[in-house]
Amino acid sequence: MDENVTTAVLEQWVRRFAHLVAENRDYLTELDAAIGDADHGSNMDRGMRAAVAALDASPPETCGALFSKVGMTLVSTVGGASGPLFGTLFLRIGSTLGDDANAAPLEVAAALRAGLGGVVDRGKAGPGDKTMYDALAPAVEALDEALAAGTDLAAGLKQARDAAAAGRDATTPMLARKGRASYLGERSVGHQDPGATTVALLLEAATEAPF
Amino acid sequence: MKKLINDPNDVVVEALRGIEAAHPELQVDHQHKVIYRGDAPKQGKVGLISGGGSGHEPLHGGFVGLGMLDAACAGEVFTSPVPEQMLAATKLVDGGAGVLHVVKNYTGDVMNFEMAAELAAAETGARVVSVVTDDDVAVQDSTWTAGRRGVGVTVLLEKIAGAAAEQGRDLDQVAEVARKVNANGRSMGVALTSCTVPAAGKPTFELGEGEMELGVGIHGEPGRERLPLAPASEIAAMLVEPILADLTFKPGDPVIAFVNGLGGTPLIELYVMFNEVARILAGHGVPVARSLVGSYITSLDMAGASVTLLKSDDELLSLWDAPVNTSALRWGI
């Protein structure tokens, strides 16, 4: 089995995610303007900036503290539906990883799966609803399968990234059944889901961190 | 954009300062953007809190006071408040009898209030019950959408449930009355112009001089269809008939009829609309037992109106008539 990952490596993942959200802020907002209320990019960027500021202010010593801090910050700064959904994702990852300074690859995968469970509990979305679920669930599956096949964590995360990107692309032809986009009915078809796009960035960030 | 503002980013904060200055009987927690009753918490009384995105004034802050809400949480314009705001409000108003959260059915509002209720239970042990309003018939209600939006019925619910709490009913009874109001109320709105969000600086959607958006939401969400502008008599029918088609009103059922302005429509036009609404209801044999006319749940500067009909009975009417003393609704005191 691989070596365990440290809190510091996981923190680099989170910081890389914040960087990608900032870079894609206007793009995410444009996607949201088409089927939502045109604030996803600016809200997520505000939240991740606040999260990075919180990490700067007091560097977390455990994996659980890291993700819990990010989750709480997102819940209290993002607003809308993205705050509770992405906040719950991080909080659930944090509570699963717990008070250890390191995490084994299987623990990382289990935490990501628990995060998905948190998103489902909070948002009640399932496959094909045109939400963040449609990128996150395939990524969780891909990581589990890769690790089960003996792949190391870094390579497994690359497979998860590809699965998230494919899931993100698959949201375009979907009819939205959750959130503000669902008011549009047929008019939501043909637009990529902003939440799924952000999830793909989260997995892309993982492959850019030194796992 | 022409608005009476300073910096678009400061609109909510500065409006809260204005509310505090204008209404000394209210208190404002500026850190959490919560407006609450000066006499909160009232021991033994169920606390009622609501909240949502700003831009719908007087909803909700204008309804804080005797006989209505105990606290209101202000989010950014058209953005749900975050859980720590509702948690702060819940702590401020909990007088030991529990707290009712009144939530309009929007995905963000529902999730943020849900998290707040969980935090309140974990941190304070306060008993919280939530009631979600979803009265907008413009949206098809199905398990395949986010469901109907909460609009005009929210105002009537806050008044009626607030009266029930003031009478000393317990949390379950207040929640039951609130659910009864939501179950028996329906709304439909029309926009003649878009609204302009201060931070955006331009209209949310385009609407031609001769057009109207039927079934519009209070954030400028698209409605059922875009139609050529019509006389008030025809527009009133387009709003009232879908409500009557959705909720069975037997001849003789008393209704509370609420004609609401969306922010940019003068009261004289709302009365023109009310006249048409009353005429249509009379034609269906539905008697108007009580009425409310004015701009109470708005969409910034949007021109347009909504109609809400609440099928009532003696209980709801007596709660409606009970004293209320808030900055936006006041009678019987």
Side-chain angles (χ1 to χ4, degrees), chain B residues 66-247:
Chain B
L66 175 87
M68 222 163 159
L69 296 178
D70 292 272
C73 306
E76 290 303 314
V77 173
F78 292 176
T79 299
S80 166
V82 299
E84 64 185 40
Q85 294 179 258
M86 283 76 91
L87 176 63
T90 301
K91 289 177 183 168
L92 286 167
V93 308
D94 183 19
V99 178
L100 184 75
H101 287 183
V102 179
V103 188
K104 302 192 297 300
N105 189 33
Y106 298 94
T107 305
D109 291 66
V110 169
M111 288 185 203
N112 281 288
F113 269 92
E114 195 178 280
M115 291 193 89
E118 291 167 12
L119 289 171
E123 280 191 27
T124 72
R127 199 167 158 239
V128 173
V129 173
S130 297
V131 173
V132 177
T133 60
D134 58 349
D135 54 307
D136 188 353
V137 300
V139 176
Q140 292 303 311
D141 190 18
S142 95
T143 54
W144 298 111
T145 68
R148 285 180 162 170
R149 303 178 290 228
V151 286
V153 102
T154 314
V155 176
L156 309 183
L157 185 154
E158 289 175 2
K159 165 67 189 84
I160 289 170
E166 208 72 58
Q167 286 180 353
R169 297 193 196 182
D170 70 25
L171 181 57
D172 290 328
Q173 292 169 328
V174 174
E176 189 184 329
V177 164
R179 290 196 187 95
K180 178 173 162 183
V181 171
N182 185 57
N184 287 287
R186 297 287 191 280
S187 301
M188 177 92 163
V190 64
L192 306 185
T193 68
S194 175
C195 50
T196 297
V197 175
K202 56 177 198 292
T204 303
F205 59 93
E206 296 299 327
L207 199 54
E209 180 62 22
E211 293 181 314
M212 60 182 185
E213 181 82 21
L214 183 68
V216 74
I218 55 171
H219 311 89
E221 305 97 311
R224 281 190 174 183
E225 52 186 335
R226 188 158 292 190
L227 297 168
L229 189 61
S233 58
E234 291 173 29
I235 296 175
M238 291 178 207
L239 299 181
V240 173
E241 295 295 349
I243 294 174
L244 296 179
D246 197 84
L247 183 66

Side-chain angles (χ1 to χ4, degrees), chain B residues 46-70:
Chain B
V46 170
L48 249 74
I49 76 169
S50 189
S54 293
H56 306 302
E57 293 70 23
L59 189 87
H60 297 272
F63 302 135
V64 175
L66 175 87
M68 222 163 159
L69 296 178
D70 292 272

Side-chain angles (χ1 to χ4, degrees), chain B residues 254-271:
Chain B
V255 304
I256 298 175
F258 171 27
V259 169
N260 172 63
L262 292 177
T265 286
L267 193 53
I268 190 170
E269 293 177 30
L270 299 180
Y271 276 108

Side-chain angles (χ1 to χ4, degrees), chain A residues 31-166:
Chain A
L31 291 174
D32 194 30
I35 55 172
D37 54 353
D39 61 6
H40 183 66
S42 47
N43 286 348
M44 286 301 299
D45 184 39
R46 183 177 61 241
M48 287 310 297
R49 275 174 203 274
V52 166
L55 297 177
D56 288 342
S58 64
E61 292 178 359
T62 69
C63 305
L66 165 68
F67 286 96
S68 298
K69 188 184 283 278
V70 173
M72 283 309 294
T73 306
L74 291 178
V75 168
S76 61
T77 56
V78 175
S82 298
L85 288 169
F86 280 92
T88 300
L89 170 63
F90 280 92
L91 284 171
R92 206 61 83 82
I93 291 173
S95 63
T96 307
L97 290 177
D99 291 333
D100 286 326
N102 300 290
L106 284 173
E107 289 174 328
V108 173
L112 203 58
R113 179 168 287 283
L116 172 66
V119 169
V120 171
D121 290 346
R122 186 66 62 204
K124 316 282 188 297
D129 286 344
K130 197 182 182 94
T131 71
M132 64 187 287
Y133 178 97
D134 292 308
L136 187 56
V140 166
E141 284 300 318
L143 182 59
D144 277 352
E145 282 174 24
L147 295 182
T151 309
D152 69 22
L153 183 57
L157 285 169
K158 286 196 174 69
Q159 294 183 24
R161 172 201 61 192
D162 294 345

